[in-house]
Structures are given as C-alpha cells and as structure tokens.
Amino acid sequence: MDFSLIVLVVIVAALAFDFTNGFHDTANAMATSIATGALKPRVAVAVSAVLNLVGAFLSVEVAKTISGGIVDDTKVTPVIIFAGLVGAIVWNLVTWLIGLPSSSSHALFGGLIGATWIASGSDAVHFGKVVEKVLIPALASPIVAGLVATLGTFLVYRITARAKQDTVGRTFKAGQIASASLVSLAHGTNDAQKTMGVITLTLIASGSLAPNSGPPLWVILTAGTAIALGTYLGGWRIIQTMGKKLTEIQTPQGFAAETSAAAVILTSAHLGFALSTTHVCSGGIIGSGLGRKLAEVRWGVAGRMVLAWALTLPAAAIVGAVAAEVSTLGTWGTVLVGLAGVVVALGIYLASKRNPVNANSIHEPEPGVAQPANA
C-alpha cells in the first residue's frame, strides 16, 4: 500500500473514532440538563456540539501526552495506529448499543496499547506513563468529582431549604444551562485532543512532523469538527442511562454534578492528564444522588457501568492487538481489518434499529421498570 495512502486512511479512521466519541459522550454534558428539563433534547445537543468545537482550541496538553507519552513514536507505524483505532471504534459502538457510558478515552488507549504491544513489543509501550497519565486519573477522577458533587448538592439543599421551590427550580434550570455548557466546553478541550494526538502521532511516525511536535492547526480544526458533528447526532441511549436510570435528578443536583465535573475535567486537561470525561461525569451524577436526602442511587446500574469501565481498556486492547496482527501481514491484511470494522459497525447500527432511542422517546419509561414519582 502506498505510504501516503495509509496515512490518509489512518486520519480518516481517527476522525471516525472522534465522531463516535462525540455521540457516545454527549450524555456527559447534557444528560442531567435534559433529564430535569433545563434544556430540550435537540437544543441541548446543538449547544453541546458548538461548545465542543470551541473547546478543542483551548489546550493541546492532552494531545501531546498521547502523541509522545503513551507509546514510543519511533516504534509505531501508521498501520499499527490504524489497528488501534479499529479496536477503539468497535468497543465504542458495542457499549453505545447497550447504553453503557464507558470511556471512549480508555477505548482509544486500550486499542493503541494492544496494537503497539503486539506489533512492536512491550518495550514500545510506556507503562509508567500509562499508570501516571491514564490509570491513576481513571481511579481518582470519579471519586473527586463525586465528593465535590456530594458536598455541593448537600450545601445547595441546605441553603435553599426555606426558599420557594418554584423559584429554586427556575434559578437552577438557568444555572444548569451554564454548567452543562461548561462541561461541553471541557469535553471538547479534553476529548477532541485525543484524536489530535493520534493524528499527530501518525504524522510523526510517517516522518511528516518532527518528533515531539504539537498538533497543527488543521488537525485541531478537523478533530474539533468531527467530535462536534458526533455530539450533534446525540447518543440518546447513553443520555437515557445517565439522565434517567442512574439516580433521580432535580435541578440543584444537576447543577452540582455538572459544575464539579467541569472543574475536574478542565483542571486535568491543562495538566495533560488524559482522563475519561465519562468517569468524571458519572461520578458527579452519583455524588449528586448521595448528596440529596431520600434520593435513590440505582447501584445495579452503577455496578454495570463500573464493570464496563474495567473491561474497556483490556477489551479494546485485545481487538487492537488482533487487528494489528492481521494488518501488519501486508496490504491485504490492512484492507481485511478495515472491511471487518465496517461490517461490525454496520451490524451494530442495524441491531440498534430493533430498539431505537431518540430525542422524542428519551423520556418514555422503560418497559417493565417502575418509574419514580416526579420530584
């Protein structure tokens, strides 16, 4: 295969992953605002899409972590990166189909690690950096966001205990529009950078950029646009899980959850920690449920989410490793992996049509599940 052609194929695959990242993670920013009625579903995803694009221009520290930190760029080829992206995309689509808010970030890391390990050996993976920049933030970030949201929710209800509840509701609905917008901005800053990092790594591996280079402007723009388009499509299945199934959410809770998540994400993005916005936002939502008296946290749903989190990195790594094993056999191997990825994606899309979830049906009760009374 012509070398310039494989670079183009990898860039397209990276932008495809970025697109799936957008609709997979729309729930992180907008699930609670949609659940409380602060924003209508279509308006919410439109606002989130625009702010994801703006956020992509705020920082490149996470992109540098991916392009020069997780794997050895001297031992990575565009074909290996392509295999890693296939692993990430497949896992994103599988978890989207079943409505589980797993981490797009960890799917990407897992795919790259698995593909690089198989193709170039374990010494091509910087495991120290993986622990420092990925695993430790993955464990700490949802706990920190959850604690902040728990405290914030508790204080909000104490402060407003004697206020008129209709006034409190209107005030915090307005506050939620601002806080959800801030999470969208933070998501664009954090998650779009991961695709920027992958494309930059590809350009470095192909010799188009010098080692340790930052992402060019066109990379920032295309990555921001891809994640914005995916966000506008709306990942309604996961929005339904985070907004309706995890805990009962009132407007003060939604405000506390979103504010805590945005603070954690923006801080980590500027420090170069490639954390999962899904972990952070889910931790914030659970924390908001713990902070409100008599609110129910559905621990069964939370448990399934945590299981998906634990499986994401190794599952994507396995798919990435298999894809790398085949892709590195030659041009026909790369083509076969690409076709297999397209077939799997099409199969998942067709399967989703059997039980569609969209902007109009997102508030409908799930069949056979008792719904809580409106607060």
Tab-separated table of all heavy atoms in Angstrom, residues 135-177:
chain	number	residue	atom	x	y	z
A	135	LEU	N	-4.174	5.561	34.267
A	135	LEU	CA	-4.807	4.711	35.280
A	135	LEU	C	-5.080	5.452	36.593
A	135	LEU	O	-6.173	5.329	37.163
A	135	LEU	CB	-3.940	3.476	35.536
A	135	LEU	CG	-3.767	2.528	34.336
A	135	LEU	CD1	-2.956	1.303	34.734
A	135	LEU	CD2	-5.117	2.121	33.780
A	136	ILE	N	-4.100	6.203	37.085
A	136	ILE	CA	-4.322	6.938	38.336
A	136	ILE	C	-5.445	7.965	38.184
A	136	ILE	O	-6.355	8.024	39.029
A	136	ILE	CB	-3.011	7.590	38.836
A	136	ILE	CG1	-2.039	6.500	39.293
A	136	ILE	CG2	-3.288	8.574	39.964
A	136	ILE	CD1	-0.684	7.016	39.728
A	137	PRO	N	-5.444	8.794	37.113
A	137	PRO	CA	-6.587	9.695	36.925
A	137	PRO	C	-7.910	8.959	36.768
A	137	PRO	O	-8.954	9.448	37.214
A	137	PRO	CB	-6.223	10.443	35.635
A	137	PRO	CG	-4.745	10.405	35.582
A	137	PRO	CD	-4.371	9.066	36.137
A	138	ALA	N	-7.891	7.763	36.153
A	138	ALA	CA	-9.128	6.995	35.979
A	138	ALA	C	-9.727	6.592	37.319
A	138	ALA	O	-10.955	6.580	37.491
A	138	ALA	CB	-8.864	5.752	35.139
A	139	LEU	N	-8.871	6.262	38.272
A	139	LEU	CA	-9.351	5.876	39.603
A	139	LEU	C	-9.730	7.091	40.444
A	139	LEU	O	-10.730	7.076	41.168
A	139	LEU	CB	-8.259	5.068	40.328
A	139	LEU	CG	-7.920	3.704	39.728
A	139	LEU	CD1	-6.714	3.100	40.437
A	139	LEU	CD2	-9.111	2.762	39.815
A	140	ALA	N	-8.931	8.146	40.344
A	140	ALA	CA	-9.129	9.301	41.224
A	140	ALA	C	-10.231	10.233	40.757
A	140	ALA	O	-10.983	10.779	41.581
A	140	ALA	CB	-7.820	10.078	41.351
A	141	SER	N	-10.363	10.441	39.438
A	141	SER	CA	-11.260	11.492	38.943
A	141	SER	C	-12.735	11.294	39.295
A	141	SER	O	-13.397	12.254	39.730
A	141	SER	CB	-11.077	11.663	37.434
A	141	SER	OG	-11.341	10.465	36.741
A	142	PRO	N	-13.322	10.085	39.153
A	142	PRO	CA	-14.734	9.963	39.529
A	142	PRO	C	-14.953	10.116	41.024
A	142	PRO	O	-16.005	10.613	41.456
A	142	PRO	CB	-15.106	8.551	39.057
A	142	PRO	CG	-13.822	7.822	38.933
A	142	PRO	CD	-12.802	8.832	38.562
A	143	ILE	N	-13.957	9.714	41.825
A	143	ILE	CA	-14.082	9.877	43.276
A	143	ILE	C	-14.055	11.352	43.645
A	143	ILE	O	-14.883	11.841	44.434
A	143	ILE	CB	-12.957	9.115	44.001
A	143	ILE	CG1	-13.083	7.614	43.748
A	143	ILE	CG2	-12.982	9.411	45.502
A	143	ILE	CD1	-11.927	6.787	44.272
A	144	VAL	N	-13.108	12.092	43.070
A	144	VAL	CA	-13.008	13.528	43.355
A	144	VAL	C	-14.280	14.245	42.910
A	144	VAL	O	-14.870	15.031	43.663
A	144	VAL	CB	-11.773	14.135	42.652
A	144	VAL	CG1	-11.779	15.656	42.777
A	144	VAL	CG2	-10.490	13.567	43.240
A	145	ALA	N	-14.723	13.977	41.676
A	145	ALA	CA	-15.941	14.619	41.172
A	145	ALA	C	-17.151	14.243	42.016
A	145	ALA	O	-18.015	15.085	42.297
A	145	ALA	CB	-16.171	14.222	39.709
A	146	GLY	N	-17.219	12.968	42.446
A	146	GLY	CA	-18.332	12.518	43.269
A	146	GLY	C	-18.364	13.205	44.624
A	146	GLY	O	-19.423	13.621	45.104
A	147	LEU	N	-17.199	13.335	45.246
A	147	LEU	CA	-17.142	14.004	46.549
A	147	LEU	C	-17.521	15.480	46.444
A	147	LEU	O	-18.268	16.001	47.284
A	147	LEU	CB	-15.728	13.872	47.133
A	147	LEU	CG	-15.318	12.459	47.579
A	147	LEU	CD1	-13.846	12.443	48.010
A	147	LEU	CD2	-16.201	11.982	48.733
A	148	VAL	N	-17.010	16.141	45.404
A	148	VAL	CA	-17.346	17.558	45.207
A	148	VAL	C	-18.843	17.714	44.957
A	148	VAL	O	-19.489	18.615	45.514
A	148	VAL	CB	-16.534	18.156	44.041
A	148	VAL	CG1	-17.009	19.571	43.728
A	148	VAL	CG2	-15.050	18.168	44.366
A	149	ALA	N	-19.420	16.846	44.127
A	149	ALA	CA	-20.852	16.919	43.828
A	149	ALA	C	-21.698	16.605	45.058
A	149	ALA	O	-22.746	17.225	45.284
A	149	ALA	CB	-21.201	15.961	42.694
A	150	THR	N	-21.255	15.631	45.863
A	150	THR	CA	-21.988	15.301	47.095
A	150	THR	C	-22.037	16.501	48.029
A	150	THR	O	-23.112	16.885	48.537
A	150	THR	CB	-21.317	14.123	47.824
A	150	THR	OG1	-21.324	12.978	46.967
A	150	THR	CG2	-22.052	13.785	49.121
A	151	LEU	N	-20.886	17.110	48.259
A	151	LEU	CA	-20.825	18.281	49.135
A	151	LEU	C	-21.615	19.442	48.544
A	151	LEU	O	-22.378	20.119	49.252
A	151	LEU	CB	-19.367	18.691	49.344
A	151	LEU	CG	-19.128	19.928	50.217
A	151	LEU	CD1	-19.687	19.715	51.619
A	151	LEU	CD2	-17.645	20.264	50.274
A	152	GLY	N	-21.453	19.679	47.239
A	152	GLY	CA	-22.164	20.783	46.596
A	152	GLY	C	-23.668	20.606	46.664
A	152	GLY	O	-24.408	21.565	46.959
A	153	THR	N	-24.145	19.388	46.411
A	153	THR	CA	-25.586	19.124	46.462
A	153	THR	C	-26.124	19.316	47.869
A	153	THR	O	-27.188	19.933	48.071
A	153	THR	CB	-25.879	17.684	45.989
A	153	THR	OG1	-25.372	17.510	44.669
A	153	THR	CG2	-27.365	17.391	46.008
A	154	PHE	N	-25.402	18.791	48.856
A	154	PHE	CA	-25.824	18.939	50.254
A	154	PHE	C	-25.948	20.414	50.636
A	154	PHE	O	-26.949	20.845	51.221
A	154	PHE	CB	-24.817	18.234	51.168
A	154	PHE	CG	-25.082	18.435	52.637
A	154	PHE	CD1	-26.093	17.737	53.279
A	154	PHE	CD2	-24.318	19.339	53.372
A	154	PHE	CE1	-26.340	17.937	54.635
A	154	PHE	CE2	-24.560	19.538	54.723
A	154	PHE	CZ	-25.580	18.837	55.355
A	155	LEU	N	-24.938	21.206	50.274
A	155	LEU	CA	-24.947	22.627	50.628
A	155	LEU	C	-26.064	23.376	49.906
A	155	LEU	O	-26.720	24.252	50.492
A	155	LEU	CB	-23.589	23.255	50.287
A	155	LEU	CG	-22.410	22.797	51.153
A	155	LEU	CD1	-21.110	23.404	50.641
A	155	LEU	CD2	-22.636	23.185	52.622
A	156	VAL	N	-26.277	23.046	48.637
A	156	VAL	CA	-27.323	23.725	47.870
A	156	VAL	C	-28.688	23.504	48.508
A	156	VAL	O	-29.477	24.448	48.670
A	156	VAL	CB	-27.325	23.223	46.407
A	156	VAL	CG1	-28.645	23.570	45.720
A	156	VAL	CG2	-26.168	23.831	45.644
A	157	TYR	N	-28.982	22.273	48.898
A	157	TYR	CA	-30.287	21.994	49.505
A	157	TYR	C	-30.421	22.617	50.896
A	157	TYR	O	-31.509	23.033	51.298
A	157	TYR	CB	-30.542	20.483	49.546
A	157	TYR	CG	-31.062	19.947	48.243
A	157	TYR	CD1	-30.215	19.293	47.355
A	157	TYR	CD2	-32.387	20.116	47.874
A	157	TYR	CE1	-30.686	18.806	46.134
A	157	TYR	CE2	-32.872	19.639	46.662
A	157	TYR	CZ	-32.015	18.989	45.800
A	157	TYR	OH	-32.478	18.529	44.589
A	158	ARG	N	-29.313	22.691	51.622
A	158	ARG	CA	-29.369	23.352	52.931
A	158	ARG	C	-29.621	24.846	52.784
A	158	ARG	O	-30.420	25.439	53.513
A	158	ARG	CB	-28.042	23.120	53.687
A	158	ARG	CG	-27.852	21.713	54.220
A	158	ARG	CD	-28.853	21.372	55.322
A	158	ARG	NE	-28.693	22.224	56.490
A	158	ARG	CZ	-27.906	21.943	57.530
A	158	ARG	NH1	-27.178	20.816	57.504
A	158	ARG	NH2	-27.829	22.759	58.551
A	159	ILE	N	-28.928	25.456	51.824
A	159	ILE	CA	-29.052	26.900	51.632
A	159	ILE	C	-30.442	27.273	51.127
A	159	ILE	O	-31.000	28.319	51.512
A	159	ILE	CB	-27.974	27.402	50.646
A	159	ILE	CG1	-26.585	27.252	51.278
A	159	ILE	CG2	-28.217	28.858	50.247
A	159	ILE	CD1	-25.440	27.466	50.300
A	160	THR	N	-31.030	26.443	50.289
A	160	THR	CA	-32.325	26.775	49.677
A	160	THR	C	-33.508	26.111	50.369
A	160	THR	O	-34.619	26.120	49.834
A	160	THR	CB	-32.311	26.364	48.194
A	160	THR	OG1	-32.125	24.940	48.101
A	160	THR	CG2	-31.206	27.086	47.439
A	161	ALA	N	-33.297	25.552	51.536
A	161	ALA	CA	-34.350	24.772	52.207
A	161	ALA	C	-35.613	25.584	52.458
A	161	ALA	O	-36.727	25.060	52.381
A	161	ALA	CB	-33.815	24.201	53.518
A	162	ARG	N	-35.462	26.873	52.765
A	162	ARG	CA	-36.631	27.702	53.100
A	162	ARG	C	-37.084	28.581	51.941
A	162	ARG	O	-38.010	29.366	52.092
A	162	ARG	CB	-36.296	28.574	54.309
A	162	ARG	CG	-36.009	27.751	55.569
A	162	ARG	CD	-35.816	28.626	56.780
A	162	ARG	NE	-35.547	27.837	57.982
A	162	ARG	CZ	-35.369	28.357	59.195
A	162	ARG	NH1	-35.411	29.674	59.371
A	162	ARG	NH2	-35.130	27.571	60.221
A	163	ALA	N	-36.436	28.452	50.825
A	163	ALA	CA	-36.827	29.257	49.657
A	163	ALA	C	-38.005	28.610	48.949
A	163	ALA	O	-38.295	27.423	49.122
A	163	ALA	CB	-35.643	29.386	48.704
A	164	LYS	N	-38.715	29.407	48.145
A	164	LYS	CA	-39.821	28.866	47.362
A	164	LYS	C	-39.265	27.898	46.318
A	164	LYS	O	-38.362	28.247	45.566
A	164	LYS	CB	-40.580	30.000	46.666
A	164	LYS	CG	-41.324	30.909	47.639
A	164	LYS	CD	-42.112	31.981	46.879
A	164	LYS	CE	-42.893	32.861	47.838
A	164	LYS	NZ	-43.653	33.924	47.101
A	165	GLN	N	-39.847	26.708	46.284
A	165	GLN	CA	-39.293	25.677	45.432
A	165	GLN	C	-39.424	25.974	43.944
A	165	GLN	O	-38.574	25.576	43.148
A	165	GLN	CB	-39.943	24.327	45.764
A	165	GLN	CG	-39.582	23.802	47.148
A	165	GLN	CD	-38.071	23.765	47.373
A	165	GLN	OE1	-37.343	23.075	46.664
A	165	GLN	NE2	-37.585	24.519	48.358
A	166	ASP	N	-40.496	26.699	43.550
A	166	ASP	CA	-40.601	27.039	42.134
A	166	ASP	C	-39.516	28.040	41.731
A	166	ASP	O	-38.969	27.978	40.623
A	166	ASP	CB	-41.992	27.585	41.808
A	166	ASP	CG	-42.345	28.820	42.625
A	166	ASP	OD1	-41.693	29.055	43.673
A	166	ASP	OD2	-43.264	29.545	42.210
A	167	THR	N	-39.143	28.933	42.665
A	167	THR	CA	-38.064	29.886	42.406
A	167	THR	C	-36.721	29.153	42.328
A	167	THR	O	-35.892	29.440	41.459
A	167	THR	CB	-37.998	30.951	43.505
A	167	THR	OG1	-39.255	31.625	43.582
A	167	THR	CG2	-36.897	31.969	43.233
A	168	VAL	N	-36.526	28.199	43.240
A	168	VAL	CA	-35.302	27.408	43.240
A	168	VAL	C	-35.171	26.646	41.920
A	168	VAL	O	-34.100	26.612	41.294
A	168	VAL	CB	-35.282	26.420	44.426
A	168	VAL	CG1	-34.108	25.448	44.295
A	168	VAL	CG2	-35.207	27.174	45.741
A	169	GLY	N	-36.288	26.057	41.475
A	169	GLY	CA	-36.263	25.290	40.238
A	169	GLY	C	-35.895	26.149	39.042
A	169	GLY	O	-35.046	25.762	38.228
A	170	ARG	N	-36.520	27.329	38.934
A	170	ARG	CA	-36.222	28.214	37.803
A	170	ARG	C	-34.777	28.690	37.837
A	170	ARG	O	-34.099	28.747	36.809
A	170	ARG	CB	-37.161	29.425	37.822
A	170	ARG	CG	-38.595	29.115	37.412
A	170	ARG	CD	-39.344	30.393	37.082
A	170	ARG	NE	-39.346	31.325	38.207
A	170	ARG	CZ	-40.255	31.348	39.166
A	170	ARG	NH1	-41.251	30.476	39.147
A	170	ARG	NH2	-40.201	32.246	40.137
A	171	THR	N	-34.302	29.025	39.032
A	171	THR	CA	-32.934	29.528	39.170
A	171	THR	C	-31.911	28.489	38.761
A	171	THR	O	-30.965	28.758	38.009
A	171	THR	CB	-32.666	29.965	40.622
A	171	THR	OG1	-33.603	30.982	40.978
A	171	THR	CG2	-31.249	30.502	40.772
A	172	PHE	N	-32.102	27.272	39.241
A	172	PHE	CA	-31.116	26.236	38.946
A	172	PHE	C	-31.251	25.686	37.533
A	172	PHE	O	-30.280	25.146	36.991
A	172	PHE	CB	-31.181	25.124	39.988
A	172	PHE	CG	-30.433	25.459	41.236
A	172	PHE	CD1	-31.097	25.903	42.364
A	172	PHE	CD2	-29.051	25.372	41.273
A	172	PHE	CE1	-30.395	26.237	43.510
A	172	PHE	CE2	-28.342	25.705	42.410
A	172	PHE	CZ	-29.016	26.143	43.534
A	173	LYS	N	-32.423	25.822	36.915
A	173	LYS	CA	-32.513	25.469	35.494
A	173	LYS	C	-31.632	26.395	34.667
A	173	LYS	O	-30.929	25.951	33.754
A	173	LYS	CB	-33.965	25.539	35.010
A	173	LYS	CG	-34.763	24.279	35.302
A	173	LYS	CD	-36.117	24.309	34.628
A	173	LYS	CE	-36.871	22.998	34.898
A	173	LYS	NZ	-38.187	22.987	34.227
A	174	ALA	N	-31.666	27.681	35.004
A	174	ALA	CA	-30.785	28.639	34.316
A	174	ALA	C	-29.322	28.307	34.614
A	174	ALA	O	-28.460	28.363	33.727
A	174	ALA	CB	-31.113	30.057	34.758
A	175	GLY	N	-29.049	27.954	35.882
A	175	GLY	CA	-27.687	27.581	36.259
A	175	GLY	C	-27.218	26.342	35.531
A	175	GLY	O	-26.044	26.241	35.148
A	176	GLN	N	-28.150	25.400	35.310
A	176	GLN	CA	-27.776	24.174	34.601
A	176	GLN	C	-27.390	24.431	33.150
A	176	GLN	O	-26.519	23.746	32.602
A	176	GLN	CB	-28.942	23.175	34.635
A	176	GLN	CG	-28.869	22.197	35.784
A	176	GLN	CD	-29.716	20.990	35.511
A	176	GLN	OE1	-30.931	21.029	35.658
A	176	GLN	NE2	-29.080	19.912	35.104
A	177	ILE	N	-28.036	25.402	32.529
A	177	ILE	CA	-27.661	25.725	31.145
A	177	ILE	C	-26.203	26.165	31.103
A	177	ILE	O	-25.429	25.750	30.230
A	177	ILE	CB	-28.583	26.832	30.589
A	177	ILE	CG1	-30.012	26.301	30.484
A	177	ILE	CG2	-28.081	27.306	29.222
A	177	ILE	CD1	-31.031	27.353	30.095
